Amino acid sequence: MNMQRDRIFASPVEPSDFSFNHQVADVFTDMITRSVPGYSDLVQNIGILATNFAKDHDVIYDLGCSLGAVSKVISNYLPQSKIIAIDNSAAMIANCRANLNLTNIELLEADILKIAFVPHQFAVLNFTLQFIEPKQRLHLLQNIYQALQPSCALVLAEKIKFTDDDKQNLITNLHLNFKRQQGYSELEIAQKRTSLEKVLIPDTLEEHINRLQQAGFSKVIPWFSCLNFVSILAIK
Ligand code: GEK
């Protein structure tokens, strides 16, 4: 896996909206590992969850796959499953193709809002829904739900927000401290936050749970959390 150091915001840059371009794709593994506390543990455990709902020869979606970290872990556990890994960033798909050479992973450059889902046993949205326009989110979950087989599951991880200001401030500060400890400077943190402002729109945990239930999921279980990053298991 590509492990170039993320220095994208280390020098002053013209403010612009964050995008998953070549510059980001080239440093993405380092960026997400140093920005999302618990990311490596979370991804490893998705492999274990997958084996509970899918078996070899079943179909699994990795939606917003970036460099394919989730697909790779699931492939280790279920080498004969058919993993469909999708991202709408050409740069991510190109780097993913160069990094992953596994015959059971089909890589697609596509918008997950526009694809026709085939029947599947497991789906993962690992920090992807937060980049989808809020009014499209329910529709996407409904599309996944409809093609998901009975008793099968979606795993949704997101950065969440809190309605209580004190909780929001405390958790935001703890996350800032995590980023500082990972070697990000104040300038890097501030510039990245500005560039993500209109692009990454977080919901509260309650909003996620309600939306998953509205999409039809019968069991909705937060199973992993670290600061303001939460993963939810949603079972049909
Ligand atoms: C991981 N899951 O390493 N269609 C397809 N892809 C999209 C869309 C869309 N409409 N919108 C955004 N993306 C990965 C990390 S990153 C999370 C996922 C982050 C893609 C986008 O191009 C990017 O690669 C990914 O969703 C989000 O576990 O950067 O925080």
Side-chain angles (χ1 to χ4, degrees), residues 6-117:
D6 168 24
R7 296 191 189 285
I8 294 175
F9 296 101
S11 312
V13 293
E14 280 298 314
S16 68
D17 284 348
F18 188 86
S19 89
F20 292 99
N21 55 23
H22 273 289
Q23 211 189 0
V24 169
D26 284 349
V27 300
F28 187 73
T29 303
D30 181 67
M31 175 186 276
I32 196 159
T33 310
R34 291 200 292 134
S35 305
V36 177
Y39 173 77
S40 302
D41 282 341
L42 170 54
V43 170
Q44 281 305 319
N45 280 290
I46 291 173
I48 297 169
L49 286 186
T51 61
N52 201 73
F53 297 95
K55 52 189 187 320
D56 276 332
H57 309 294
D58 281 349
V59 175
I60 294 169
Y61 278 106
D62 179 5
L63 302 164
C65 62
S66 298
L67 301 185
V70 167
S71 294
K72 194 173 177 194
V73 167
I74 296 176
S75 178
N76 284 342
Y77 283 91
L78 297 169
Q80 305 294 321
S81 61
K82 182 186 176 191
I83 301 170
I84 306 173
I86 305 176
D87 205 289
N88 66 348
S89 154
M92 286 292 192
I93 290 293
N95 285 15
C96 190
R97 208 177 289 287
N99 285 330
L100 280 190
N101 189 14
L102 294 164
T103 50
N104 68 324
I105 302 176
E106 180 188 342
L107 274 182
L108 286 180
E109 183 189 329
D111 182 346
I112 55 173
L113 295 170
K114 295 192 179 141
I115 59 162
F117 286 92

